[in-house]
Amino acid sequence: MKPYLKRAWAEISLGALESNIRNISGLLSDNTELMAVIKADAYGHGEDDILKKLRQCGVKYFAVSNLDEAISVRKHCPDGEILILGYTPPEYAHELEEHNIIQGVLSYDYALELNEQALRKVRCHIKIDTGMGRIGLKFNSPCECADEAEKIIALEKLEAEGLYTHYAVADTPDEDCNSYTEKQTDFIIKTYDELKSRGISLKHLHFLNSAALCHHNNSRSTLARAGIIMYGLFPNYPVPLPIELKPVMSLKAVVSQVKEIHKGDSLSYGRTYCAPCDGIKAATVTVGYADGYSRLLSGKAQVIVRGKRCPVIGRICMDQLMLDVTGADGVQEGDIVTLIGRDGNEEITADELASLYGTIGYEIVCGISKRVPRIYVD
Ligand SMILES: *Cc1c(COP(=O)(O)O)cnc(C)c1O
């Protein structure tokens, strides 16, 4: 028996990743290169193996959320460009220099501190807050924004190589959101062009995330910072996408016990499930909320056993959950249970699961916990 079959595991299809990269590449303008977003352990898929595959696919730009992730990527990728999208305390300027990492710079004050701590040169991209309201230079006009960016660019120990922004509602295709997104695009491009008219030509200008690449593609963006679509999930499920994607992660576990229960028998904590009649077949499964399969899915989710959808019944426990397998023939101890993924003609995606309890596919895959081994398949 394969050792990972003991309990719960996540299958990561590198073939699906490759297929997604191919289809995403088809969307890119000649002027735009893919910047693979591999923060949060490649959205829970496992940074090392995902990075290796991406490099085989020819990806050269990577984005992460913090310095630890950046250094970890650098270890396996001596040549690629690595951008930290989020905050790095300025005291770590030396590490940025030592590992040749590009830092997102979110304000002039922050730039000053970084400049002060740097020994030689810290490479950076300047983040503009055009409407996300999270981090970045925030001004009423592109002209004022360019003034502030110019001050940052003039700092001796910073090497500014790019300007970027992030969208708030690029994933929502209604009129209001589209016009908000267009305003954001307009602002960042005008800021860039204003700098250019002053004789400052930055190598990079970027603003496309997955949703924008799919719904608001723009050849002015030199990089497309794609995350979720690489992993085969929707930026905003079920809003349709112009490309075909294959989910990269599946989540599987094993049936530990099957028993017949009778009318009135209850299952699990709180006795929220009581058998409505005799002859119900209940199965116990080796996965629970400590694996990242949320307790909020209790009584809501389905899983696939022997090619059939079966409902999760009763409360999901830390390490186990229960199913009604009456509708699936011959379920027995040792059967594989697909919680996310495909079995026969049935498929359950992380997006579908997320929509059951008011979250997004991103949170599901990022939340599959450490104790669940990632098994890489073709
Ligand atoms: C996470 C992130 C992305 C990637 O977003 P997706 O929706 O996964 O494509 C891009 N840019 C920034 C700044 C991010 O934080």
Side-chain angles (χ1 to χ4, degrees):
M1 195 184 205
K2 292 174 182 153
Y4 60 81
L5 282 178
K6 273 184 289 202
R7 207 182 146 261
W9 66 99
E11 265 173 35
I12 309 296
S13 166
L14 297 172
L17 178 67
E18 188 171 353
S19 158
N20 296 337
I21 295 295
R22 206 177 312 119
N23 291 339
I24 292 165
S25 298
L27 291 176
L28 301 173
S29 314
D30 290 345
N31 182 47
T32 311
E33 279 221 48
L34 177 63
M35 173 176 259
V37 181
I38 53 173
K39 61 194 179 193
D41 203 22
Y43 290 39
H45 293 67
E47 178 197 284
D48 289 2
D49 292 78
I50 295 292
L51 177 62
K52 198 164 143 201
K53 185 70 184 179
L54 290 172
R55 294 183 73 215
Q56 282 169 14
C57 293
V59 179
K60 295 189 182 67
Y61 291 87
F62 303 95
V64 296
S65 84
N66 64 65
L67 182 61
D68 286 344
E69 291 179 355
I71 291 173
S72 164
V73 171
R74 179 56 81 215
K75 268 198 192 109
H76 301 101
C77 180
D79 48 349
E81 297 286 26
I82 305 168
L83 170 65
I84 298 180
L85 298 165
Y87 178 76
T88 301
E91 294 76 20
Y92 290 93
H94 307 182
E95 275 80 355
L96 294 169
E97 294 175 287
E98 184 189 337
H99 298 284
N100 188 26
I101 287 158
I102 306 167
Q103 174 62 45
V105 165
L106 53 101
S107 70
Y108 178 63
D109 286 345
Y110 176 73
L112 269 182
E113 292 180 66
L114 209 54
N115 186 62
E116 201 156 292
Q117 298 283 339
L119 293 173
R120 296 173 51 240
K121 284 266 187 201
V122 174
R123 301 173 67 196
C124 67
H125 286 192
I126 301 168
K127 177 78 183 278
I128 312 295
D129 177 7
T130 60
M132 175 68 176
R134 193 166 64 180
I135 48 172
L137 279 56
K138 186 163 164 54
F139 289 92
N140 288 326
S141 71
C143 209
E144 292 164 85
C145 202
D147 291 345
E148 190 86 340
E150 222 184 315
K151 281 163 56 189
I152 294 173
I153 293 162
L155 292 171
E156 200 190 332
K157 290 190 210 148
L158 292 193
E159 183 75 47
E161 302 174 359
L163 203 64
Y164 71 113
T165 195
H166 194 46
Y167 288 119
V169 287
D171 61 351
T172 309
D174 68 30
E175 216 173 291
D176 274 3
C177 293
N178 286 345
S179 88
Y180 195 85
T181 299
E182 275 158 33
K183 276 197 197 117
Q184 289 195 265
T185 309
D186 196 53
F187 195 102
I188 189 77
I189 290 179
K190 285 206 170 115
T191 306
Y192 181 88
D193 288 345
E194 175 62 28
L195 285 169
K196 201 167 177 188
S197 75
R198 301 180 190 180
I200 299 164
S201 215
L202 297 172
K203 182 172 182 214
H204 287 290
L205 162 67
H206 53 104
F207 41 86
L208 298 174
N209 57 3
S210 291
L213 180 61
C214 289
H215 307 305
H216 304 272
N217 201 358
N218 189 313
S219 62
R220 289 295 306 274
S221 191
T222 61
L223 300 168
R225 303 186 312 262
I228 200 71
I229 52 176
M230 287 199 308
Y231 308 105
L233 298 176
F234 286 63
N236 186 6
Y237 176 82
V239 174
L241 297 175
I243 49 170
E244 193 209 329
L245 295 173
K246 295 181 179 163
V248 172
M249 183 192 287
S250 302
L251 177 65
K252 303 196 175 175
V254 177
V255 170
S256 55
Q257 189 176 1
V258 181
K259 63 183 137 220
E260 193 171 314
I261 56 173
H262 306 288
K263 184 172 176 170
D265 284 351
S266 65
L267 292 179
S268 196
Y269 292 119
R271 304 188 61 207
T272 57
Y273 176 86
C274 281
C277 56
D278 287 341
I280 287 182
K281 254 173 86 184
T284 305
V285 185
T286 56
V287 68
Y289 62 76
D291 302 295
Y293 195 80
S294 176
R295 186 170 173 279
L296 297 172
L297 289 163
S298 300
K300 291 187 175 158
Q302 297 180 328
V303 305
I304 315 170
V305 195
R306 297 198 172 223
K308 289 274 188 324
R309 279 184 178 247
C310 301
V312 171
I313 52 177
R315 284 204 183 133
I316 294 168
C317 310
M318 189 183 289
D319 314 308
Q320 306 180 70
L321 59 77
M322 270 66 83
L323 304 174
D324 178 347
V325 294
T326 316
D329 270 350
V331 174
Q332 59 187 43
E333 179 197 329
D335 279 359
I336 290 179
V337 176
T338 301
L339 299 110
I340 299 172
R342 179 177 281 283
D343 174 8
N345 294 324
E346 291 289 352
E347 182 176 26
I348 293 170
T349 65
D351 286 323
E352 178 194 330
L353 216 53
S355 69
L356 293 178
Y357 68 109
T359 186
I360 50 178
Y362 296 72
E363 190 177 359
I364 301 257
V365 287
C366 289
I368 300 302
S369 67
K370 230 176 178 169
R371 82 169 174 190
V372 177
R374 271 65 170 170
I375 309 301
Y376 295 88
V377 300
D378 280 342

